[in-house]
Structure formats: structure tokens, C-alpha cells
Amino acid sequence: MHSAYAGEVSEEIRSRAERKERTRQRLLDVTLRLIADRSLSSLSLREVAREAGIVPTAFYRHYASMDALGVDLVDDSMRPLRQMIRDARRGRTAHGDIIVETVAVLAKQVRDHPDQFRFLTRERYGGVGPVRRAIATELKLFTSELTVDLARLTTGFDWSADDLEMAASLMVGAMLSTVMDLLETDERHPEDVHAILDKAERQLRMIALGMGQWRSKP
Amino acid sequence: MHSAYAGEVSEEIRSRAERKERTRQRLLDVTLRLIADRSLSSLSLREVAREAGIVPTAFYRHYASMDALGVDLVDDSMRPLRQMIRDARRGRTAHGDIIVETVAVLAKQVRDHPDQFRFLTRERYGGVGPVRRAIATELKLFTSELTVDLARLTTGFDWSADDLEMAASLMVGAMLSTVMDLLETDERHPEDVHAILDKAERQLRMIALGMGQWRSKP
DNA sequence: TAAATGAGTGAACAGACGTGCACTCAAATT
DNA sequence: AATTTGAGTGCACGTCTGTTCACTCATTTA
């Protein structure tokens, strides 16, 4: 619980700005941890402050409200998703099945950052206005990244921009469903996880088959 | 606001059980209305009671907690979805495009029962445990209904049960995404609604194309 | 007709909440 | 070395919460 050498293991903190940043990060971390099985709106400012080891009023030195913290948390939680795109693109250049690689990357990111993904999927529609809009914006960005990738894969088939976006959002939707299924699965049942990932692969493969047959309206 | 003839327009209520049922229904109605832009967990028992015109303690005559009310509300909100299946099946027997009919039915149900759909999509992942599980159960039922329909349409192509379920859940996912998009769209912009429905049609059509190419593993 | 039932009342409680205000006291600035 | 800054403190407030308890009184039951 407490290491006698903790103070010597971690770097010394002298700067005031640095201390503030630490506290801010701590606020984000405990919030993410606390909403593992509840919604952000059911979380009180006092509870977050208490868990972060500061007095309620000190919270205001960092955020004007819990909503503001929530919006900030969206940025923070999007990092694993952005990393996912980079990893997936790297996997693409290597030999092997694109779909298998993509699902594998997805599974790894969800396994490594469950709280972030839980927050995003939970608050995507269930959250309060500002948070919901922030997530919608980021996911639209994510979808348009995928649209770019799809455009590269469909050169010569004259897909319309609208159809590319349609296909991309279908894929993103399937992937988000997969994420939520993964998060609701007890990780001590590896066969369940495998079934979910297998289903995700088949779904993406079926969409790919559909794309192969698709012809955009002129 | 108040009609002088209100008492004469509606039926007289004498039975006690009937009065209780009215109050219960009123609790469900005001709850559905109040969470139009918030989550169920951010709603207080007192607020619901106040809006329903009863004293807080009278709430307990109907439900042991807000969670219990939430679970009951899932049943209530599922009615439009069940109606949707029936309507879609009826549309199927008539001449015309299955997909166009299905999307039209979906659009109509969402337009007629926005609060119910909002509740379901909001609390599906964002909600508290019991409500989330209740919704998951009902949606699984919905998906298996669709699986049955798909089985009928794919006779002779020896699809495995697993693959049928995979395709059905892909479709359900696309439809739920459509629902959420519809709910977030200002209904005073009919062209936005049209764009969303058009996208939904194309997505379902693309899945259908994929299914045409699909061969289940033996 | 008399008794039992049960939906709804009203006061009271202990606890949690958000936020205002005056404060401390290192670190940063001058 | 003297001054300013600002993250974090401690207290106080008014409000809202869930839940308890003893109650009323119309409807139902016996």
C-alpha cells in the first residue's frame, strides 16, 4: 500500500506548474476509475476531490465544473483510439490480413485501456450535453480518418465521398459494438472474448464483401 | 392548461386498482419526459414524485427504488420496438423493397415515440446495472427475432446459426446507430433526417450485398 | 353495516451536496 | 531581499436528497 522509498523512486517535484499538472491528472484518473460502473453525471464534485486527496474547493483551481472536467476527459480518453489508428496503419503495411490485424489492435487497446473505452462508450449517448458533443466530434474525426484509408483501398472503383463515409461509419459502428461487448465480458472467460473477436472479424469481412459488390450511384 | 370539461371528457375512475395504475403510469411518463436530456441516474426520486403530483413517500407504494422503476420502464419502452417488428413483417408481405419498408417503419416509430427510444439508447450502456441488463436482454430478444427472419430469407444457402446471428446483430447495430442519429437531429431540418435515412438504407443494402456473397464455413 | 385495506399525506431526520469567503504559505517574480 | 501569486485549506451556508413514521379516509371486503 505504501512504499518507504516512494519519495526516492519517483522524480523530485519542485515546479509549482508541475505540481498543479499532477493534481489535474490525478483528478482525471480518479474520475475515470470511479465511473467504472456508474455514469459521470451521478458522480459528485466532492467525491472526486475526496478521492484525489484535495479539499472540494480546490477543485475549482482546475475546472469550473464537473462538466468541464468531463470534456477534458474526452481528449484524454481519445489517446488510445488515436494510437489505434497508427497501430492499425502500421500493421497494414506488413504482410497479413488487414481485418485480422485491425481486430487484434482493437482488442489490445481495449485490454490495455478499459477505463478510457468504458468512459467513451458510456457517455457517448448517456452523457450530459457538452461531453456527448465532444465525443461525437472526436468520433467523427476518427471516422473520417478511416474514410481516407478506405478511399486508398477503393481507387479505380469510383466510390462517392458519401458512400465512403457510409461504409466507414458502418465499420466504426461495428467496432464500437465490439468494444462494448468486450467491456461487458468477464475477462476471466477467454473463450467469450475469443467469440466476440471472431464475430467482429466476420462482421468486418462481410462489410468488405459488400463493398466489393457495391457500385456508387453516378 | 386546464379544461373545464376535463372531468367529463375522460372516463370516470372509481376503482382503486385503476387509480393506482394511473399513478404508476404517470410516474413512468414523467420519468421518460424528464430524462429527455439527462440520465436516469441523475434523476431523483423526489423530482419524479413532485412532477407526478404525489408526495415522495407515496412513491414507495409503486416501486422500491428508482432502479426498479427504471427496469419497469424498459418493458414499457420496448413496446414500440416490438410493434416495429410486426409492422416490418407486414410490410414484407406486400410488394416493394424490404429495406425501404424497414427503414420507413423505423423512422415512423422513432418519430412517434422519441422519448422511449431516447431512454433505451441512452441507458443501454450509460445506465445503472439492472437497467442496462434489462435492455441487453430485450435487445438480444429483438436480434433473435431478426435472426429468424433472416433464416427464412437464406434457405438453401446453408448459413450457420452463428453467422445468421452475426449478420442480424450487424443490422441491429446499424439501425440503433440510425436511431441515435435521428434523435440528435433537429426535426425542423427535414433534409438532415432524409440524409440519415438514406444512409441507413445504403448501409443495410451493403450488408445485404455482403450476405449474398457470404458462404458459411462448413 | 362494520371492519380491514392501502394509496396518498405531512412532518421530521441525518447526511450529502455545490459554492462562497477569508486564510496559509511555498514558489515565482520583482 | 521584498513582494506577488496561486494551489490548497477550513468553515460555514442553504438546499436537496432518501427514508422513517404515524396519520387519514375513501374503497374494498367480510
Side-chain angles (χ1 to χ4, degrees), chain B residues 178-193:
Chain B
T178 303
V179 168
M180 300 187 274
D181 287 347
L182 282 174
L183 290 174
E184 304 232 319
T185 301
D186 194 331
E187 54 195 61
R188 285 161 305 188
H189 291 104
E191 70 276 15
D192 289 353
V193 174

Side-chain angles (χ1 to χ4, degrees), chain A residues 146-160:
Chain A
L146 181 57
T147 304
V148 171
D149 286 1
L150 287 183
R152 250 181 235 132
L153 292 171
T154 54
T155 43
F157 291 87
D158 53 66
W159 278 59
S160 72

